[in-house]
């Protein structure tokens, strides 16, 4: 059984995240989308809201025989991966600017759990500039983000901000 975790804040899920899930699905039998419960941050969505949104959106992603699970975690990603029985941590790279941060995390995670490898996947070029932070910022200022986040996420953002459709 090849199992991976795909950890992140997912505040909120973007089309770039979905692209990485789709691309990684032929490589694994099971992928756990692992939503970080980070008490330090001030997220737009609670961890429960993020997990629920991801669960609602995932059936629209074609992943063949790969099973997708959504879970949340606190603490170290490496510990969660070990606890979950995963062999790999999946991370998406959008541009060279992501590489340095991702490399540091991958090396630290490998030091913490030498048996778990980080697998980097290149996001589609059309998502190379898409981040949760940028999506929230543009949306909050009234800009258009359709196609860059799932429709359901856009609706939830509108509800959250009390925006009239
Ligand atoms: O989607 P993000 O915000 O880029 O995800 C970053 C995440 C959650 C993968 C990273 O912050 C993380 O792993 N946090 C958990 C704490 C931890 O393990 N820190 C050490 C990483 S080497």
């Amino acid at each position: 059984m090849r199992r991976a975790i795909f950890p992140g804040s997912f505040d909120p899920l973007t089309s770039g995240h979905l692209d990485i899930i789709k691309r990684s699905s032929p490589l694994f039998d099971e992928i756990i989308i692992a939503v970080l419960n980070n008490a330090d941050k001030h997220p737009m969505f609670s961890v429960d809201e993020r997990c629920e949104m991801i669960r609602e959106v995932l059936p629209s992603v074609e992943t063949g025989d790969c099973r997708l699970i959504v879970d949340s975690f606190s603490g170290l990603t490496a510990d969660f991966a070990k606890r979950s029985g995963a062999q790999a941590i999946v991370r998406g790279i959008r541009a060279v600017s992501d590489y340095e941060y991702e490399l540091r995390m991958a090396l630290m995670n490998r030091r913490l759990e030498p048996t778990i490898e980080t697998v980097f996947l290149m996001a589609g070029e059309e998502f190379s500039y898409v981040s949760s932070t940028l999506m929230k910022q543009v949306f909050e200022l009234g800009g258009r983000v359709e196609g860059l986040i799932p429709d359901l996420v856009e609706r939830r953002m509108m509800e959250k901000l009390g925006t009239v459709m």
Side-chain angles (χ1 to χ4, degrees):
M1 162 80 117
R2 295 163 306 158
R3 182 182 287 129
I5 67 162
F6 178 33
S9 305
F10 301 104
D11 185 44
L13 180 78
T14 68
S15 302
H17 292 131
L18 290 180
D19 181 58
I20 293 297
I21 292 169
K22 194 172 164 189
R23 286 174 195 279
S24 53
S25 64
L27 305 176
F28 300 100
D29 301 308
E30 189 174 283
I31 299 170
I32 302 170
I33 293 82
V35 180
L36 177 67
N37 193 351
N38 187 348
D40 299 342
K41 285 194 178 179
H42 299 288
M44 176 179 258
F45 294 99
S46 71
V47 170
D48 287 347
E49 286 172 328
R50 283 179 260 160
C51 288
E52 189 207 311
M53 270 191 285
I54 298 170
R55 284 194 188 100
E56 282 190 52
V57 170
L58 284 185
S60 66
V61 185
E62 181 48 61
T63 56
D65 292 333
C66 177
R67 200 161 95 98
L68 299 179
I69 293 172
V70 182
D71 202 355
S72 60
F73 75 104
S74 304
L76 289 172
T77 292
D79 286 347
F80 179 75
K82 177 84 172 173
R83 268 202 313 280
S84 307
Q87 297 90 29
I89 297 170
V90 168
R91 291 288 291 172
I93 298 234
R94 293 163 296 193
V96 177
S97 50
D98 283 339
Y99 180 72
E100 211 178 311
Y101 168 62
E102 293 296 336
L103 177 67
R104 274 189 272 127
M105 277 210 298
L107 294 176
M108 191 65 215
N109 283 329
R110 191 163 69 189
R111 186 191 166 101
L112 293 166
E113 278 305 334
T115 59
I116 298 173
E117 289 294 338
T118 296
V119 175
F120 290 127
L121 292 170
M122 309 313 138
E125 309 85 274
E126 64 272 39
F127 304 119
S128 59
Y129 62 95
V130 175
S131 70
S132 300
T133 305
L134 194 60
M135 294 305 103
K136 281 185 287 193
Q137 191 184 96
V138 172
F139 185 85
E140 282 170 3
L141 296 172
R144 304 180 67 185
V145 290
E146 65 263 38
L148 303 179
I149 54 174
D151 291 346
L152 177 128
V153 173
E154 193 179 4
R155 283 201 299 279
R156 294 287 156 80
M157 283 170 82
M158 284 172 174
E159 287 163 17
K160 185 68 70 179
L161 297 179
T163 313
V164 180
M165 282 181 84

